[in-house]
Amino acid sequence: MANSNDQFFGYKGRWARIDLTHREVKVEPADAVLYRHYIGGRGVQAALLYEHLRRAGPLQDPLSPENRIIIGTGAPNDTYIPTAGRGSCSFVSPMTRSPESVSWVPGHRPLFGLVTHASAGGLFPNMLKRAGLDHLIIDGRADRPVRILAIDGKVEIVDAEDELFEIVDRKKTVRTASAITDYLSRKYPYSSTVCLGPAGWNRVAFACLTGDHHRNFGRGGAGAVFGSKNLVAITASGRDPIAYFDERLYQKLAKELDAQVKSHVGDPKWTASFRPETGTTWWLDRAHHGSYLGQKGGYLPWHNFDEGYFDPADYAKVGTDAFLAISGRHKVCNRCRYVMCTRSAKVEAGEFAGEGVRPEFETIALWINCCIIDHDAIFHMNYLCNELGIDTMTLGSVVAAAMELRDKGYLNKYNNPPAFGSAADMIRTLKSIAYQSDPLGKLLGNYSDRVIAELGAASAAADVPEIARSVTTAFGGLGYAGIEPKVFPGMFTAYGTSNRGRGDHTYAWTIQAEEGGLTGAGNLAAYVAGGQVGKALVDSMGLCDFFTEDNTSDPFLSLYHALTGFEYTGDSMKEAGKRIYNLERHMNNLQGRNRAYDAYVPPKLTVPLTAGAHKGKAVDTAFYQSILDAYYEHQGWNKEGIVGSMLLHSLGIRD
Ligand code: SF4
């Protein structure tokens, strides 16, 4: 049996084009050729964004109606494959921008916002598929607050009810994410909702979207894009079953895969074995002092990335065991089995008492980087970020920068700027950012170059580089993740070259390999590039980063064929990953990304660590440049990091 536009297997074969400006919805048959070439999820969304950007040209303002945002899934979603519950959300990011020229970056060129992909689990992605749709492609801006309803194959734009709003500080704003979700869940039983929170409504550059109370399309500012479109929420519901190309074979192969995942998670020699108990927080112990199959530690960021190690007595208050102590039952994504990284959490008493979910490693690490050493406060702030719709990671970098700027006297004109180590200050600051309720919140809710420009305008010209120096998200950065950037040159390359922005850790991850001895510019470059292709495939299939198996292996591809009818070899699947990564990079080139962006090293990261196992380490700028040379050569890009026409054509991409 051959696939065609009429014969879809695995996928739903339909997407909805939603024009908020004209209040029109078209549910259309999807393009099977696009699915074959771009796999699904993130990959198909890249192609759909390119269709848009190619026609309209570079998008200079990601918060204009011209931005397109797409939410959807891949073929394995909602099938028996463990972790097949992740959805994709793609858009041009309002955070990763540097549109005005700046004096503190040599070779700076305007950057209008990177094409960004965010991934989230929970139930919403699979429920959207059950509603009979692979993707919602959302354009324009509604003239009043609206929400989208996708039920049993029908999609509607409806006015957002007054009950979804409240007055805060004399201003109408959306209610918290859980209030919106609860209201819509009561109205539509057996549904799932993704929504913005107050931060997205107020167009904070790093506002997220929250699904099912605590699952976030976290990075890049999807919440702000919703806010700019007057779009409050999407609710999905349905029972449309999956159609399999060969269901009997699929079930047989899926059982074999299931057993394989189970045995790998059960094997104490695999890091996956820690996840069911500790979630991602095992990285805290490993990064601070070793353990959990690690080496010496010394790379847990401290004091706005100045150090990678700090007092063990302080660490004990916020380490892996501290978060195990407040953990409860598993609370995992739809279709997750065995790996099961998420648990509920509860603080029994005190000012931060409450129930919610255990924060992730990256969140905790980046708030430790603000010198917050109170696990109850971290639990509470994580809860607040889920309610207010703020990306926890970028918040950590933004607040750490504010703390340093305060110490240097650049925030003197603002009331109560946050101090390192003060949870009360950080909570007040995060609320003021989300609600845009005071001048400091309004300042910090911007993309970072705007923050630097505003502070610079009130200072002497000579102070501007010093202001920029405190802000590690400068020059369109997304914010570094929870592994100290000074320690691992391969990880720094992953941070520097990720398509979704400087600081992202999910597109390539090198720590185990570098701790295991991987060195040399060429080897590091190839490892990073390989990881980026692999992650593009994981996202496009709707699987989790923590899926334990190789999705380009023959057994997996046989399973994929039984599901979709599409045949791939390991090489042709990797080629598809390469196509996705190169198309994203090409779009980012069009948005202004070149070598200057990748090569930028925040100056404070060249100052050596003074403590811990990696004392003396800093980013070696010359070595990083040599890795970048090797990386571009490996990718087939020119020395400026531009994807050329020949490569695009060889991958079937029209320039
Ligand atoms: S491992 Fe964690 S993030 Fe991944 S699917 Fe399972 S619960 Fe969700």
Side-chain angles (χ1 to χ4, degrees):
M1 198 184 296
N3 270 311
S4 73
N5 278 351
D6 300 314
Q7 291 176 303
F8 265 100
F9 302 98
Y11 308 95
K12 290 291 149 184
R14 285 185 297 278
W15 55 42
R17 292 185 185 272
I18 301 165
D19 177 347
L20 294 173
T21 305
H22 300 101
R23 221 168 160 123
E24 287 174 3
V25 178
K26 281 187 205 151
V27 176
E28 301 176 342
D31 178 349
V33 175
L34 207 65
Y35 282 23
R36 183 172 170 77
H37 287 170
Y38 290 95
I39 308 300
R42 171 178 156 192
V44 166
Q45 292 179 359
L48 291 166
L49 275 178
Y50 188 46
E51 158 201 279
H52 183 62
L53 291 178
R54 200 163 170 266
R55 194 168 50 229
L59 178 71
Q60 300 208 3
D61 179 3
L63 296 180
S64 71
E66 283 69 42
N67 203 352
R68 168 175 280 187
I69 187 163
I70 312 169
I71 296 184
T73 59
N77 277 96
D78 208 24
T79 69
Y80 189 63
I81 299 173
T83 80
R86 305 286 305 194
S88 288
C89 176
S90 301
F91 53 98
V92 176
S93 157
M95 182 65 196
T96 52
R97 318 170 61 193
S98 181
E100 297 106 17
S101 85
V102 299
S103 56
W104 36 271
V105 178
H108 178 274
R109 201 175 102 179
L111 179 75
F112 299 127
L114 299 176
V115 166
T116 292
H117 164 268
S119 164
L123 175 61
F124 180 82
N126 286 354
M127 190 58 94
L128 180 61
K129 193 166 179 182
R130 286 175 210 171
L133 296 148
D134 292 325
H135 295 279
L136 302 177
I137 306 159
I138 304 165
D139 290 314
R141 172 185 290 159
D143 60 2
R144 53 192 181 278
V146 297
R147 57 186 179 82
I148 292 171
L149 202 52
I151 297 188
D152 294 330
K154 289 199 192 113
V155 180
E156 283 178 78
I157 302 168
V158 295
D159 287 343
E161 294 84 344
D162 288 344
E163 288 87 340
L164 300 179
F165 293 86
E166 62 183 341
I167 303 295
V168 178
D169 294 334
R170 296 194 295 278
K171 222 171 58 177
K172 181 179 172 182
T173 187
V174 294
R175 296 174 71 198
T176 59
S178 64
I180 294 171
T181 303
D182 290 344
Y183 175 85
L184 294 171
S185 301
R186 280 194 298 275
K187 193 158 188 168
Y188 305 102
Y190 309 107
S191 68
S192 174
T193 289
V194 70
C195 63
L196 50 60
W201 184 252
N202 290 317
R203 303 187 192 183
V204 170
F206 44 97
C208 63
L209 292 175
T210 303
D212 309 305
H213 295 100
H214 64 92
R215 293 287 176 183
N216 298 304
F217 290 111
R219 303 211 85 189
V225 176
F226 262 42
S228 74
K229 293 186 174 304
N230 251 331
L231 177 57
V232 175
I234 305 174
T235 301
S237 178
R239 294 182 171 194
D240 198 26
I242 307 282
Y244 296 87
F245 178 71
D246 183 339
E247 186 162 3
R248 275 180 55 190
L249 180 61
Y250 175 84
Q251 299 301 356
K252 174 181 170 290
L253 297 175
K255 276 196 187 126
E256 289 171 17
L257 178 82
D258 190 75
Q260 194 80 11
V261 173
K262 187 177 181 186
S263 90
H264 283 149
V265 175
D267 182 346
K269 293 199 284 303
W270 281 52
T271 54
S273 65
F274 312 135
R275 293 196 193 281
E277 186 179 13
T278 65
T280 49
T281 65
W282 60 274
W283 273 104
L284 291 163
D285 272 15
R286 179 168 174 153
H288 182 263
H289 55 261
S291 85
Y292 289 101
L293 305 183
Q295 293 186 357
K296 299 168 286 185
Y299 50 87
L300 188 60
W302 177 254
H303 201 275
N304 198 18
F305 299 105
D306 285 337
E307 299 293 345
Y309 187 75
F310 57 97
D311 183 349
D314 282 342
Y315 171 74
K317 298 173 191 165
V318 285
T320 304
D321 287 345
F323 284 94
L324 265 176
I326 63 167
S327 300
R329 294 158 67 100
H330 282 121
K331 212 167 181 178
V332 303
C333 303
N334 187 245
R335 295 288 180 180
C336 186
R337 293 189 298 286
Y338 313 124
V339 194
M340 302 199 301
C341 74
T342 314
R343 284 180 179 271
S344 62
K346 186 173 183 182
V347 171
E348 299 280 354
E351 61 178 315
F352 303 121
E355 291 185 51
V357 286
R358 179 176 58 193
E360 299 292 332
F361 162 72
E362 301 292 348
T363 300
I364 301 166
L366 289 164
W367 295 353
I368 287 174
N369 190 37
C370 300
C371 306
I372 306 294
I373 48 167
D374 178 338
H375 66 270
D376 289 355
I378 289 175
F379 161 82
H380 179 66
M381 288 193 291
N382 187 61
Y383 165 81
L384 284 178
C385 285
N386 286 336
E387 290 292 292
L388 303 180
I390 290 191
D391 175 38
T392 57
M393 293 177 66
T394 299
L395 175 80
S397 292
V398 166
V399 173
M403 290 168 166
E404 185 169 327
L405 289 164
R406 172 194 188 271
D407 284 356
K408 289 176 174 171
Y410 292 115
L411 296 181
N412 286 347
K413 76 169 192 173
Y414 296 93
N415 280 335
N416 301 315
F420 278 113
S422 169
D425 284 2
M426 189 156 170
I427 290 168
R428 190 180 57 243
T429 305
L430 96 81
K431 287 180 181 171
S432 74
I433 292 172
Y435 286 106
Q436 293 286 278
S437 53
D438 66 16
L440 184 65
K442 287 180 182 157
L443 175 81
L444 298 177
N446 276 307
Y447 60 93
S448 295
D449 287 16
R450 186 105 296 276
V451 176
I452 295 164
E454 284 194 25
L455 293 178
S459 308
D463 286 336
V464 175
E466 191 55 29
I467 293 167
R469 186 184 175 85
S470 305
V471 183
T472 57
T473 46
F475 191 15
L478 189 61
Y480 291 97
I483 300 293
E484 170 60 45
K486 297 177 184 179
V487 172
F488 298 103
M491 196 63 220
F492 192 73
T493 309
Y495 283 150
T497 60
S498 168
N499 273 348
R500 72 172 177 173
R502 189 183 313 104
D504 167 60
H505 67 294
T506 63
Y507 281 14
W509 177 264
T510 67
I511 307 308
Q512 286 92 328
E514 290 192 83
E515 283 200 315
L518 184 74
T519 56
N523 294 333
L524 294 169
Y527 193 88
V528 169
Q532 290 167 340
V533 166
K535 180 60 163 62
L537 293 174
V538 165
D539 287 335
S540 300
M541 291 181 184
L543 300 174
C544 178
D545 289 9
F546 307 143
F547 179 62
T548 51
E549 309 308 302
D550 176 2
N551 61 3
T552 62
S553 67
D554 287 346
F556 188 89
L557 294 176
S558 299
L559 173 77
Y560 199 78
H561 177 250
L563 173 62
T564 63
F566 287 154
E567 283 191 65
Y568 297 90
T569 62
D571 284 346
S572 67
M573 184 56 91
K574 284 179 191 155
E575 179 87 350
K578 206 172 154 189
R579 181 176 301 114
I580 296 162
Y581 208 78
N582 277 275
L583 176 58
E584 291 173 341
R585 177 74 186 195
H586 175 54
M587 287 190 277
N588 284 338
N589 286 158
L590 298 176
Q591 288 293 109
R593 184 172 189 167
N594 63 5
R595 185 179 184 119
Y597 181 87
D598 301 343
Y600 179 68
V601 179
K604 69 167 9 216
L605 300 184
T606 63
V607 179
L609 300 173
T610 66
H614 292 284
K615 181 178 172 180
K617 280 202 178 164
V619 176
D620 177 340
T621 307
F623 183 50
Y624 177 51
Q625 297 301 322
S626 72
I627 306 176
L628 262 190
D629 285 337
Y631 173 82
Y632 290 161
E633 195 177 330
H634 185 92
Q635 295 285 25
W637 305 343
N638 73 17
K639 286 190 179 306
E640 283 305 300
I642 309 293
V643 190
S645 295
M646 271 175 57
L647 177 56
L648 291 172
H649 294 169
S650 74
L651 293 167
I653 301 167
R654 284 194 295 164
D655 59 355

